[in-house]
Amino acid sequence: MNNIDNKIKKLIKKNKKFLIAFSGGLDSSVLLYSLNKNNNNNNINIRAIHINHNMNKKSKKWENHCINICNKLNIIIIIKQIYNKNNKNIESIYREKRYSIYKKYLLNNEILLTAHHKNDQCETILLSLKRGSGLSGLSGIKKKILIKNKIIIRPLLNIEKKEIKKYAINNKIIWINDSSNNNIKFDRNFLRKIIIPKLLNRWPFFIKCIIRSAKICFNQNKLLEKLINKKFNKSLIKKNILNLKYLIHLSREEFFLIIRKWIKINDKKMLSYKLLKIIWINIINNKKIYFQMFFKEFIINKYKNKIYLINKLKKIKKKIKWKNIKKNIFLPNGTLYISENNKNNINNLVRKPKLNEKIYIKFNIKNYIKILGRKKKKIKKIWQEYKILPWERPNIPIIFYNNNIIMSPNLFITENAKPNKLSSWKINFKK
C-alpha cells in the first residue's frame, strides 16, 4: 500500500468525523479521494468545505467543480464566499478569513483536515526565516494543533508534492490548476517557482534537511518553554496581568519568552522579534506610570507595577439618548437595562426622571461630581478611589437626566438621584 493511504488509515483508526478544507486543487483532491477510498463500510463521517476567494474569473467554475466531486462521492459540502478589498497582505488576510470560517463550521468532535505537505512546510520555514522569526516560527507548520478545543490535523505533512502528484495520476483524480499559483508577486509562489527549484537543483536533499532543522527548532523551543515556565508562573498575576516588579529583574531574552507565552495563553497572534523589542523598551526603560501600546488585535498597558493585555473595544459615542427604557442599551463592554424598584435590593436605586427630563448615557466626562452624602470631587479622583484602571474609565457609562449627573451603575449615585418611595427604579449595568 502506498504512503498516502497508510497515513489516512492510521488517521481513521483514531478519529471518525472529519471536515476537509477542499479547494479542488491537487493536494486537497488527493486527501479527499484517499479518505473516501479508505472509508470502509462508511464508518467515518466526511464533510468538505470550499471557500471561494473570488479572485479569479474561474472561481465560480472551480466552486462548481468541488460541488460536483462531492456529489459524486456522496459527501456533504459547505460553500462559503470571501472577499478582500485591501490588496495589502492578501495572503495573510485570506488565511485568517479561511480559518475563521473553518472554526465556525467545525462540529463537536469533528477534526479539520488540511492538505499541507512537505513542500508547504519548506516554504513556510523559508518565509519565517525571511521575517526574522525565532524558534517558534522556524519550527514550521505543526502536524496537529488545538485552537480553542478545535483540532486541526495535516495528515500529508510528511509527504512530498511529487508523491502526491504521482498518487493523483495513478488514481485518475481530476483537480483544478489555479493560475494564480504562478503569480510570483506572492512570496510563497516566488519561493515555490523560483527559489526552491534552484535550491533543489543544487542540493537535492534540501527539503529533507530544512525539515530536520525545523524539528530541532521545535524540540529546542519546547525545552525553552519548560525552562521558562517557573519564571512565567512567578510573573503571572492573572491570565492577562503580569507582575512588572518581577519582570524588571529578568534578562531581555527571558522577558521575550515570557511575553510570547503570555500572548499565546491569551489566544492572541504571536508578535515579531522587532515588536518584542519595542515592548521591552517601553515596559522596562519607560519611567512613566501609565503607558499604552497598540497592536493589531490587542493593547498592552503598563500601569504602576503591572502590565495588562486587553482586547480592543469598539469606539463608543460620547452621548447616547435612551429613547425606549424597555429596550436594553448594548455597549462594547456590557449592557445597560432598567428594572423596577425591588425592596430586597436597593443598590443602583435612583429616582425616576421627571416628565421634562430625558435620559442620556455619556462617557469620558470631565465634570466635578457630588456623590450622595459626600463632598464634590473631580471625576478623576473618583475613578482612583474606586480603583478603576485608566483605560477602563472612558468606557464607563454615566447616566444623565437632561444635564444632571444621576449615577454610574454599580459605582455611585449623586445628590440629584435620591430615590423616593413613590417613584424610583434600578438602572443596571452588566459587564
Side-chain angles (χ1 to χ4, degrees):
M1 186 178 285
N2 65 72
N3 201 14
I4 291 171
D5 285 335
N6 270 333
K7 298 277 183 192
I8 298 302
K9 285 208 165 189
K10 284 180 184 178
L11 179 71
I12 61 179
K13 274 184 181 179
K14 298 177 181 178
N15 310 286
K16 300 300 174 190
K17 291 171 76 177
F18 301 99
L19 178 67
I20 298 178
F22 184 43
S23 68
L26 170 63
D27 312 321
S28 62
S29 296
V30 164
L31 178 59
L32 185 73
Y33 177 90
S34 179
L35 195 66
N36 188 66
K37 173 187 170 184
N38 290 289
N39 185 10
N40 297 322
N41 302 317
N42 294 313
N43 63 333
I44 62 171
N45 188 5
I46 307 168
R47 297 193 307 148
I49 183 165
H50 174 78
I51 297 176
N52 187 339
H53 294 76
N54 293 288
M55 284 179 65
N56 194 295
K57 291 177 182 178
K58 295 181 180 178
S59 291
K60 191 65 185 176
K61 185 179 177 182
W62 298 337
E63 179 186 307
N64 290 332
H65 165 86
C66 293
I67 293 169
N68 291 335
I69 293 294
C70 288
N71 286 342
K72 283 178 184 176
L73 299 175
N74 201 26
I75 290 170
I76 293 168
I77 184 166
I78 301 160
I79 303 292
K80 300 307 295 181
Q81 313 288 329
I82 57 175
Y83 303 89
N84 181 37
K85 293 175 183 177
N86 185 358
N87 290 322
K88 292 179 181 179
N89 302 318
I90 196 165
E91 291 174 280
S92 173
I93 290 167
Y94 271 159
R95 186 184 183 280
E96 285 178 19
K97 285 185 176 183
R98 281 199 305 273
Y99 277 87
S100 176
I101 293 168
Y102 294 153
K103 283 182 273 185
K104 183 180 176 181
Y105 285 91
L106 205 53
L107 302 174
N108 292 335
N109 303 318
E110 192 175 46
I111 291 166
L112 177 67
L113 299 182
T114 69
H116 291 90
H117 48 74
K118 234 177 197 177
N119 298 59
D120 292 325
Q121 181 74 291
C122 179
E123 291 160 15
T124 298
I125 294 161
L126 289 175
L127 286 169
S128 295
L129 196 62
K130 183 214 73 162
R131 294 185 197 110
S133 300
L135 287 175
S136 180
L138 295 174
S139 300
I141 306 167
K142 309 298 182 290
K143 189 172 182 181
K144 180 179 178 179
I145 59 171
L146 183 69
I147 303 174
K148 292 182 180 178
N149 300 319
K150 304 287 188 180
I151 298 171
I152 301 173
I153 295 178
R154 285 108 182 192
L156 308 181
L157 197 58
N158 294 324
I159 296 172
E160 286 195 37
K161 180 85 171 182
K162 60 185 179 184
E163 189 176 342
I164 292 171
K165 192 170 184 178
K166 185 180 176 182
Y167 181 97
I169 292 166
N170 289 344
N171 288 280
K172 298 178 181 177
I173 296 169
I174 300 168
W175 70 88
I176 292 163
N177 280 311
D178 186 348
S179 57
S180 68
N181 289 331
N182 298 319
N183 188 347
I184 60 170
K185 78 172 184 180
F186 299 121
D187 289 345
R188 193 172 284 276
N189 290 345
F190 175 69
L191 286 173
R192 187 179 298 157
K193 296 291 179 181
I194 307 296
I195 302 301
I196 292 174
K198 287 184 178 181
L199 291 170
L200 289 173
N201 188 46
R202 174 88 179 197
W203 304 299
F205 295 103
F206 179 80
I207 290 178
K208 287 183 181 178
C209 292
I210 205 167
I211 300 298
R212 191 188 311 137
S213 293
K215 284 181 182 176
I216 293 167
C217 287
F218 176 75
N219 290 330
Q220 289 180 345
N221 193 51
K222 274 181 75 176
L223 179 60
L224 270 177
E225 284 194 352
K226 280 185 181 179
L227 293 172
I228 206 67
N229 265 350
K230 190 179 270 189
K231 290 184 177 181
F232 175 77
N233 290 332
K234 281 184 180 180
S235 70
L236 194 69
I237 296 170
K238 288 183 179 178
K239 187 180 177 183
N240 71 320
I241 307 172
L242 293 176
N243 185 346
L244 189 54
K245 280 185 177 179
Y246 182 80
L247 291 173
I248 57 175
H249 299 294
L250 301 179
S251 70
R252 191 172 79 160
E253 294 307 319
E254 285 173 323
F255 177 85
F256 286 1
L257 286 167
I258 284 172
I259 295 295
R260 278 183 172 273
K261 188 173 178 67
W262 183 49
I263 289 168
K264 187 178 179 181
I265 69 160
N266 281 283
D267 300 316
K268 304 300 179 187
K269 197 173 180 181
M270 201 57 69
L271 297 178
S272 67
Y273 193 82
K274 183 181 177 182
L275 289 174
L276 287 171
K277 283 201 290 186
I278 291 169
I279 295 171
W280 164 264
I281 291 164
N282 285 295
I283 294 293
I284 303 300
N285 297 338
N286 193 326
K287 302 302 178 186
K288 290 181 180 178
I289 290 174
Y290 175 42
F291 189 81
Q292 285 190 299
M293 283 167 283
F294 293 84
F295 299 92
K296 188 179 178 182
E297 291 184 37
F298 54 86
I299 302 166
I300 291 178
N301 290 330
K302 172 191 174 181
Y303 184 59
K304 294 184 177 178
N305 292 311
K306 296 171 186 173
I307 58 172
Y308 301 76
L309 190 149
I310 62 167
N311 293 323
K312 284 186 175 179
L313 287 174
K314 291 178 182 176
K315 285 187 179 179
I316 301 176
K317 292 178 182 178
K318 286 189 177 180
K319 184 178 177 181
I320 299 169
K321 188 175 181 180
W322 203 337
K323 294 177 182 178
N324 185 351
I325 60 165
K326 291 181 181 179
K327 288 188 176 180
N328 296 352
I329 299 284
F330 297 101
L331 305 171
N333 57 336
T335 306
L336 276 170
Y337 61 98
I338 290 173
S339 53
E340 287 301 322
N341 186 349
N342 184 337
K343 292 177 182 178
N344 298 321
N345 188 352
I346 59 168
N347 293 329
N348 291 348
L349 204 61
V350 294
R351 70 172 177 86
K352 290 183 179 181
K354 297 169 186 174
L355 288 174
N356 65 336
E357 288 181 318
K358 305 295 181 187
I359 308 173
Y360 296 96
I361 303 108
K362 296 183 183 180
F363 304 88
N364 207 19
I365 64 171
K366 307 296 180 187
N367 309 50
Y368 278 82
I369 295 176
K370 190 174 184 338
I371 293 175
L372 187 63
R374 293 166 61 179
K375 290 180 182 179
K376 189 180 278 191
K377 279 187 181 179
K378 209 173 185 178
I379 187 70
K380 184 180 177 182
K381 295 290 183 184
I382 293 169
W383 294 148
Q384 289 171 348
E385 187 181 316
Y386 284 106
K387 296 180 180 177
I388 306 296
L389 296 167
W391 55 90
E392 292 177 343
R393 295 169 193 173
N395 296 307
I396 292 177
I398 311 289
I399 309 299
F400 281 69
Y401 291 169
N402 289 346
N403 293 318
N404 295 316
I405 298 172
I406 297 300
M407 71 181 307
S408 181
N410 307 329
L411 294 175
F412 61 79
I413 68 169
T414 69
E415 288 286 349
N416 292 317
K418 282 184 184 178
N420 60 66
K421 291 180 181 179
L422 297 174
S423 182
S424 60
W425 60 13
K426 189 179 178 189
I427 300 179
N428 310 277
F429 181 60
K430 189 176 180 181
K431 286 188 177 181

